[in-house]
Each structure stands twice: as structure tokens, then as C-alpha cells.
Amino acid sequence: MASYACVLPSWASRIAVTVMKSEPDPMLCPFFGKCDGIWIVDTDTGATEFRANLERTPDALCDLIVSAGSGRLICSFIGEAEKRRLSATGIDVRLGSCASAILELVASFHQLAAA
């Protein structure tokens, strides 16, 4: 009997989080389009990266998230149009609490409510 390994594509291990304050301890931002940027956590390697949201609009933030190559997103709020747009590209969007630390949110991704 053959055995098969489930290998996830690299984007599936990257979780983008909409954040305020990029260093040293980013926090989940309550405003989707107005956030400072996205904090990307690679769950396979533990590597992190910050990408700034320079235009501070929902459309520009969606472009930033898609270009980051993340398969998952954590935010505290997202508009219906932005949710549809990101979901159409295959991004799994979840809602988190601003009271939680970024790494706690990442670790509990699958327990977070779908947007």
C-alpha cells in the first residue's frame, strides 16, 4: 500500500496579521484599511516580516496582503467587499481580538472565527 505525505504549499504556512506599531511588539489593529501594515509570521520557520501599509486604504491593504504571498489573514475587522476579494484569491480570513498577542493569535488560528 502506498503512503502519501500531505505537503502544504509555502503560502499556507504564512499568516498575515493587520497591525499597529511594527516594532518591537506589534498589536492587532482594530481598523482594516488604516493599519500600519501587516506582520507576517511563517509558521514553519518562525520567521517574521513587516510590510508597511503606505497608502492606508482598504484596496491598498488588500493588494499588500495578496502580494505578501500569505494563505491566511488575521484581522479584527474586515469589510464585506475586502473579505470577498481576499477569499476569492484563496486567503483564509479569520477574526481576532485586539486584546490578544500576535503570536497567541497565530498559534490559535484554526480556533478563530471565520470572517
Side-chain angles (χ1 to χ4, degrees), residues 6-81:
C6 179
V7 179
L8 295 174
S10 62
W11 55 263
S13 68
R14 294 171 54 88
I15 299 176
V17 184
T18 57
V19 297
M20 303 183 296
K21 190 173 116 174
S22 63
E23 294 290 338
D25 295 316
M27 301 175 340
L28 187 63
C29 182
F31 309 107
F32 184 78
K34 302 295 183 190
C35 70
D36 291 336
I38 55 173
W39 189 262
I40 303 163
V41 179
D42 187 311
T43 58
D44 286 343
T45 66
T48 61
E49 168 188 356
F50 175 76
R51 294 194 184 186
N53 178 23
L54 300 176
E55 294 182 43
R56 307 263 179 157
T57 68
D59 284 339
L61 183 58
C62 284
D63 291 341
L64 182 65
I65 293 164
V66 170
S67 72
S70 298
R72 299 181 278 174
L73 171 69
I74 300 171
C75 55
S76 66
F77 169 82
I78 185 167
E80 191 61 34

Side-chain angles (χ1 to χ4, degrees), residues 32 71-75 78 82-83 86-87 91-95 109 113-115:
F32 184 78
R72 299 181 278 174
L73 171 69
I74 300 171
C75 55
I78 185 167
E82 292 79 19
K83 179 176 71 171
L86 294 175
S87 294
I91 296 174
D92 184 356
V93 182
R94 303 291 177 107
L95 300 175
F109 182 84

